[in-house]
């Protein structure tokens, strides 16, 4: 008797005979190993997407669902928008204080604070580069594409748009080949 097949369904005269739907895994391995975190294609909440974004910081194998991808990008946009608002407020404060001062020169402490803030914003942006690339690669895997498609983003003008369209595509079952 074959493992996982009903003997009545596997008889030669049975009209609905089909191949077994389950193949046992190799000894000691799970049949479908998935990376830590959410399962591929599993919708996640905003908090779950942000948690996966940082938990899978440099994990380039596996897949990311559309909800995980777009929630993480929304979080990045909100973070960068908040930092831009703080930067603009700092610039306005420095310029306003410079206009109100007797010599018309900005305060050295305010200018150094403004450039320190710019350095912090730059470091945060730099820290988000690797998880951003890994999330995009995992999203490409979920659409059945190789992670090397990420390099399309370097085509001037249209590369980012092409990558955006690829990341917005429906999940493809052939993406299971990229599961680690």
């Amino acid at each position: 008797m074959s493992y996982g097949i009903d003997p009545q369904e596997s008889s030669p005269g049975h009209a609905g005979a089909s191949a077994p739907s389950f193949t046992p895994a190799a000894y000691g391995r799970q049949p479908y190993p998935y990376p830590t975190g959410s399962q591929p294609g599993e919708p996640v909440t905003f908090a779950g997407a942000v948690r996966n974004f940082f938990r899978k910081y440099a994990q380039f194998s596996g897949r990311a669902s559309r909800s995980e991808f777009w929630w993480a990008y929304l979080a990045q946009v909100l973070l960068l928008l908040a930092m831009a608002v703080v930067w603009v407020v700092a610039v306005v404060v420095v310029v306003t204080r410079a206009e109100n001062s007797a010599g018309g020169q900005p305060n050295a402490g305010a200018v150094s604070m403004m450039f320190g803030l710019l350095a912090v914003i730059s470091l945060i942006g730099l820290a988000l580069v690797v998880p951003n690339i890994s999330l995009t690669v995992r999203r490409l895997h979920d659409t059945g594409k190789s992670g090397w498609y990420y390099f399309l983003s370097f085509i001037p003008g249209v590369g980012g748009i092409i990558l955006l369209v690829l990341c917005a595509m429906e999940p493809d079952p052939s993406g299971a080949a990229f599961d680690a």
Side-chain angles (χ1 to χ4, degrees):
M1 178 163 117
S2 296
Y3 186 75
I5 300 176
D6 187 319
Q8 292 179 344
E9 290 181 15
S10 63
S11 63
H14 185 58
S18 62
S21 61
F22 176 78
T23 308
Y27 181 74
R29 291 192 62 202
Q30 295 293 329
Y32 303 103
Y34 292 112
T36 58
S38 63
Q39 300 295 324
E42 176 183 301
V44 294
T45 62
F46 180 79
V50 172
R51 186 174 38 253
N52 285 345
F53 180 74
F54 290 110
R55 185 185 314 156
K56 299 177 180 181
Y57 187 85
Q59 181 179 335
F60 293 89
S61 61
R63 297 180 281 168
S65 65
R66 278 195 288 188
S67 61
E68 181 178 353
F69 180 80
W70 292 113
W71 280 126
Y73 264 85
L74 176 64
Q76 289 181 66
V77 166
L78 292 176
L79 177 67
L80 294 175
L81 187 62
M83 289 189 301
V85 166
V86 170
W87 169 252
V88 168
V89 167
V91 169
V92 167
V93 167
V94 167
V95 169
T96 304
R97 287 190 178 175
E99 289 177 356
N100 293 339
S101 68
Q105 296 294 322
N107 183 359
V111 172
S112 64
M113 182 221 41
M114 188 176 69
F115 283 112
L117 183 61
L118 182 61
V120 168
I121 290 171
S122 299
L123 288 174
I124 290 172
L126 190 60
L128 294 177
V129 169
V130 172
N132 191 8
I133 293 172
S134 70
L135 176 67
T136 305
V137 166
R138 289 193 318 269
R139 177 67 201 131
L140 287 169
H141 287 170
D142 194 43
T143 63
K145 306 281 187 273
S146 169
W148 293 105
Y149 275 74
Y150 182 81
F151 289 109
L152 289 174
S153 64
F154 294 119
I155 298 173
V158 297
I161 296 169
I162 294 170
L163 191 62
L164 180 71
V165 169
L166 288 174
C167 288
M169 291 174 57
E170 292 277 334
D172 187 359
S174 66
F178 296 103
D179 288 342

